[in-house]
Amino acid sequence: MSVPKRVIVVGGVAAGMSAASQIRRRHPKSKVTVFERGSHISYGACGMPYNIEDPERSIDDLVVLSAEHARSKRGIDLRLRHNVNEIDLDAGTLSVTDSDNDRDFREPFDALVIATGARAIRPPLPGFDLPGVEVLRDLGDGAAIRKALENGPRRAVIVGAGYIGMEMAHVLTARGLEVTVLEKLPQLLPGWHADTVAVVEETLTDHGVEYHTGTTVEAAEAGSDGCVASVTTDSGTFAADLVLVAVGVRPNVELASRSGLRIGETGAIWVNQNQQTSNPAVWAAGDCAEAYHRILRRNVWIPLGTTANKQGRIAGANVVRAGQRFRGVVGTAGFVVFDLELARTGVGEQQARDEGFDPVTATIRQRSRAHGYPGGVPVQVHLVADRETGLLLGGELAGREGAALRVNTLATALGAHMTVTDLQNLDLVYAPPFASVWDPVLVAANQLIKKVGNP
Ligand code: FAD
Ligand code: NAD
């Protein structure tokens, strides 16, 4: 098959720019056009909480690649403020609106990469459109929150105790606000194990963050200035000068769906491991697309920047016929709340049960440094394995030092389909300043192996 001459990429952040850059690098003769409806490309959304924490920084510090650089150095035909409205797969054209010039036009393509990402969910509740009710998804949202903080709000309510909720509880507290987190489900960080969540609860309480789980938010109300002043729930009203809605994201699949491309059971765009959609001339990558899960051996939707970058690169390589395969995800993620590092990978106990495994678990605490070496702190490790086969299924870590990056040992073990015995026998580093002679991961494996039927 010949290499396509005219390639269009829809969406210019992690997945889209990775794909566009990869195509140009591998095949400089291809003309690559990126349509991005916003005003920024290639920024690190993941850094927004930490950027907002520092009043001296600018949100623009997060831009990794400027539009000028993409055009002049990478040779990408980048069109900002261009919204793609429709894809006509039969004709091989897109309908596009250039909002700077208020102009609609059609653009032909030989190959298409869809990298339209995801959007923040805004529940359609009364008052959730008031000034002072924010979401955090793109750079514009980050700038809006920074601006809101300049007005000196005293109290924040965060709706949702997932990744953004936890990161921003820390950030808004650091910016001097009293923070209350409201979570609909019965625990913070739904899907994480209760042992890990207990450490998070302790940390939030130590830092003065109030949280309420099993709470249904009903409305937001305005004060006399017309800005948000409170949030009402089924268990009371909470004063708020700033409300951050962090209740999850939805994949932007409407464009793909209307054009007839297959949408997977997860609600994201179905792709094979070449990042190809149900139409062989169309690839998809990043938060709008599914990803193959190496443990579950099927597609899942776990929208993360690390996956968006990898999938975008593979989609781009395959557009120019490199024949690359995305090996898949195991669901590795981590974050920091105050001084606590948290990370997880694989599937949790409940999900493992739902998927038909017979899970066994172990939770241990071990010091981050050798006995007698000053300054060590506990690292908590929680592991999940299948009772019958001993296959490692997942793990979580929490601790104030040396916790988050230890998840990479577990992620590597999962990627290699290791059993608990394999994990227990890993030759991990030991030196008193950064590990105990039995690394916390190995101590957890030692405990878990006692519960496995066939070690
Ligand atoms: P997006 O970033 O959503 O970009 C898609 C782009 O497509 C958008 O700019 C949009 O304007 C454009 N677009 C959509 N439709 C059209 C259209 N019709 N026409 C033209 N353009 C269109 N991930 C991690 O792995 N680790 C982290 O620590 C982490 N932290 C995060 C913290 C925050 C606060 C947030 C919000 C996210 C975080 N993430 C993290 C997730 C990560 O940012 C996303 O997974 C990543 O941005 C996805 O990249 P993407 O290119 O697939 O999609
Ligand atoms: P999330 O899915 O992590 O958490 C959403 C939370 O909101 C859940 O706990 C959910 O139960 C709760 N919720 C849903 N509806 C609610 C309601 N009506 N009232 C109260 N609570 C409600 O989503 P997020 O925190 O918005 O983050 C969005 C995405 O950004 C994540 O899926 C993740 O992909 C990405 N992200 C990743 C990181 C990281 O990897 N460090 C950090 C931030 C964001």
Side-chain angles (χ1 to χ4, degrees):
M1 245 193 294
S2 62
V3 172
K5 289 198 176 64
R6 296 166 306 181
V7 185
I8 292 182
V9 178
V10 189
V13 189
M17 291 311 292
S18 296
S21 302
Q22 191 64 204
I23 296 165
R24 290 286 307 158
R25 193 168 301 137
R26 284 176 177 267
H27 201 263
K29 283 188 184 148
S30 291
K31 181 185 179 217
V32 180
T33 301
V34 175
F35 289 123
E36 165 54 57
R37 67 182 169 202
S39 298
H40 298 98
I41 54 155
S42 205
Y43 57 85
C46 315
M48 284 196 293
Y50 312 101
N51 176 286
I52 294 168
E53 183 175 358
D54 183 351
E56 302 304 320
R57 285 179 65 186
S58 155
I59 200 78
D60 294 331
D61 293 353
L62 297 170
V63 175
V64 180
L65 180 70
S66 70
E68 292 68 37
H69 188 99
R71 290 183 186 120
S72 62
K73 296 278 189 287
R74 299 204 182 171
I76 295 168
D77 171 28
L78 173 66
R79 318 266 193 99
L80 295 177
R81 294 172 293 281
H82 279 63
N83 187 70
V84 175
N85 308 310
E86 294 298 336
I87 304 169
D88 185 336
L89 289 174
D90 294 333
T93 59
L94 300 179
S95 98
V96 186
T97 300
D98 165 4
S99 44
D100 282 346
N101 298 302
D102 205 8
R103 182 177 72 100
D104 292 338
F105 62 95
R106 296 196 84 77
E107 187 81 8
F109 64 85
D110 301 318
L112 180 66
V113 178
I114 302 179
T116 47
R119 60 183 178 277
I121 297 171
R122 251 190 201 259
L125 292 170
F128 267 51
D129 52 355
L130 284 169
V133 179
E134 309 286 351
V135 295
L136 182 57
R137 176 68 199 175
D138 59 25
L139 275 196
D141 300 328
I145 293 173
R146 289 191 69 92
K147 190 151 181 45
L149 289 171
E150 286 170 13
N151 300 330
R154 289 199 302 119
R155 286 161 304 203
V157 163
I158 297 176
V159 184
Y163 291 97
I164 294 179
M166 291 296 97
E167 288 183 347
M168 289 302 290
H170 151 188
V171 166
L172 295 178
T173 304
R175 291 290 305 254
L177 282 80
E178 285 170 31
V179 176
T180 303
V181 179
L182 306 174
E183 166 60 46
K184 177 174 76 169
L185 294 180
Q187 71 162 47
L188 303 173
L189 292 170
W192 290 61
H193 194 268
D195 292 342
T196 313
V197 173
V199 186
V200 176
E201 288 174 344
E202 197 182 293
T203 302
L204 292 179
T205 303
D206 285 350
H207 289 85
V209 174
E210 198 180 313
Y211 58 86
H212 300 269
T213 53
T215 299
T216 302
V217 173
E218 293 168 347
E221 297 82 21
S224 53
D225 60 356
C227 297
V228 73
S230 60
V231 173
T232 297
T233 72
D234 61 350
S235 54
T237 295
F238 298 88
D241 313 307
L242 174 65
V243 175
L244 176 64
V245 181
V247 297
V249 289
R250 249 185 220 128
N252 291 323
V253 298
E254 291 75 6
L255 197 57
S257 169
R258 281 200 303 273
S259 74
L261 293 173
R262 177 176 165 194
I263 304 301
E265 282 171 23
T266 67
I269 301 170
W270 179 88
V271 285
N272 63 20
Q273 282 181 267
N274 300 323
Q275 297 307 129
Q276 216 160 14
T277 67
S278 53
N279 182 308
V282 184
W283 284 258
D287 281 10
C288 63
E290 296 188 328
Y292 180 74
H293 196 291
R294 293 170 81 140
I295 304 297
L296 302 177
R297 298 179 193 273
R298 62 171 167 80
N299 278 4
V300 296
W301 184 58
I302 305 178
L304 286 170
T306 172
T307 308
N309 278 283
K310 292 180 192 117
Q311 287 188 330
R313 192 171 165 160
I314 287 178
N318 287 342
V319 165
V320 293
R321 315 297 182 216
Q324 291 197 356
R325 193 167 63 93
F326 180 54
R327 303 293 172 92
V329 300
V330 289
T332 311
F335 64 97
V336 166
V337 55
F338 297 100
D339 54 350
L340 182 68
E341 298 177 9
L342 291 137
R344 65 169 296 173
T345 187
V347 295
E349 182 181 8
Q350 185 55 48
Q351 191 189 357
R353 196 167 287 121
D354 295 343
E355 296 282 347
F357 294 101
D358 180 9
V360 284
T361 69
T363 303
I364 63 93
R365 278 185 177 205
Q366 170 83 355
R367 280 167 56 85
S368 58
R369 304 181 190 187
H371 179 76
Y373 191 94
V377 292
V379 174
Q380 181 170 293
V381 184
H382 169 81
L383 292 182
V384 187
D386 181 51
R387 186 192 307 272
E388 193 192 327
T389 60
L391 186 71
L392 183 70
L393 296 175
E396 297 177 12
L397 294 116
R400 294 190 158 70
E401 172 185 274
L405 286 181
R406 279 191 163 90
V407 81
N408 288 335
T409 304
L410 300 180
T412 307
L414 288 170
H417 300 288
M418 286 188 188
T419 63
V420 187
T421 308
D422 296 328
L423 183 67
Q424 187 197 31
N425 283 288
L426 287 179
D427 180 19
L428 301 185
V429 66
Y430 162 59
F434 50 74
S436 42
V437 67
W438 283 94
D439 187 88
V441 165
L442 300 181
V443 174
N446 287 342
Q447 288 303 313
L448 188 56
I449 209 153
K450 297 175 189 162
K451 302 181 182 176
V452 166
N454 182 17

